[in-house]
Amino acid sequence: MPKDYAKRNTRSRGRPKKKQKAKPHWKLWAFTIFCIALFIFILVHLSGSHKSTEATVKTLSVPAQKIVKVRAKATAKIKKLQASQPKFDFYTILPNEKIKVMPVPKSGVQYVLQIAVVKKFAEADRLKAELALLGFDAFVTKVKSRGGEINRVLVGPYFSKKAAVIDQRRLMQNQIKSILHKEKS
């Protein structure tokens, strides 16, 4: 049967709809109260268990001989551990050591091996690092020249010409050219 849409229900047009009241979420409230109660119970239980463990420790009676044996075993284990760990005695040894300083010759002459002269300090520092890897004591000095500041890479100083020549030969074996300079100290 066909429906007549012309006659509509006019009751709902004039009246505003009633607002639905928000239902209290009793499950949420119950869960929150349960969580708070559980938290308080745990706090009370933890504070009470601390006292009860102290009481049980006090009531235990252990013979003194047993305590002495346990202490002896523990100290033996500690000594073994301390013996296996490295000892750092240099704090006490080094202040008492005598340091040998190479004597400076009375003539006041020293020798250095000049490896390179470069403008950039970074390049001189790189060369110094390479020489350190080969076992040489290198250093860089800055010298002012007409063209600006230059960096000299030197190995030494040597207090005898013989020692300087020996290191010059070692440098030649590593394909590094050097020039022997005699300087006054």
Side-chain angles (χ1 to χ4, degrees), residues 166-182:
I166 290 171
D167 273 359
Q168 191 174 24
R169 287 183 189 148
R170 280 184 49 213
L171 286 167
M172 287 297 285
Q173 289 173 351
N174 290 304
Q175 286 81 32
I176 298 173
K177 295 179 182 177
S178 63
I179 300 170
L180 181 64
H181 286 285
K182 184 178 184 179

Side-chain angles (χ1 to χ4, degrees), residues 42-53:
I42 291 172
L43 287 178
V44 169
H45 180 68
L46 287 177
S47 66
S49 66
H50 180 263
K51 293 176 185 175
S52 65
T53 55

Side-chain angles (χ1 to χ4, degrees), residues 59-165:
T59 58
L60 290 176
S61 60
V62 179
Q65 293 174 351
K66 206 171 198 180
I67 292 172
V68 171
K69 287 180 184 178
V70 170
R71 280 187 185 166
K73 287 181 183 179
T75 54
K77 285 183 182 179
I78 290 171
K79 286 180 182 178
K80 284 181 184 178
L81 286 173
Q82 288 175 347
S84 66
Q85 292 178 348
K87 293 181 181 179
F88 299 107
D89 292 336
F90 56 85
Y91 294 112
T92 56
I93 293 173
L94 285 180
N96 300 329
E97 286 290 317
K98 291 182 180 178
I99 300 172
K100 295 180 182 177
V101 179
M102 292 187 66
V104 178
K106 294 178 183 175
S107 64
V109 176
Q110 64 183 12
Y111 298 92
V112 292
L113 295 172
Q114 179 176 318
I115 306 300
V117 177
V118 293
K119 285 190 175 186
K120 295 181 181 178
F121 180 77
E123 190 175 338
D125 194 43
R126 182 191 57 79
L127 186 57
K128 176 185 166 188
E130 286 179 15
L131 290 167
L133 289 174
L134 292 173
F136 294 101
D137 292 326
F139 60 97
V140 179
T141 59
K142 293 184 179 184
V143 180
K144 291 184 180 180
S145 68
R146 294 181 203 156
E149 199 172 72
I150 58 172
N151 299 294
R152 292 174 54 196
V153 181
L154 304 170
V155 174
Y158 302 99
F159 298 111
S160 70
K161 187 174 182 177
K162 185 178 179 181
V165 171

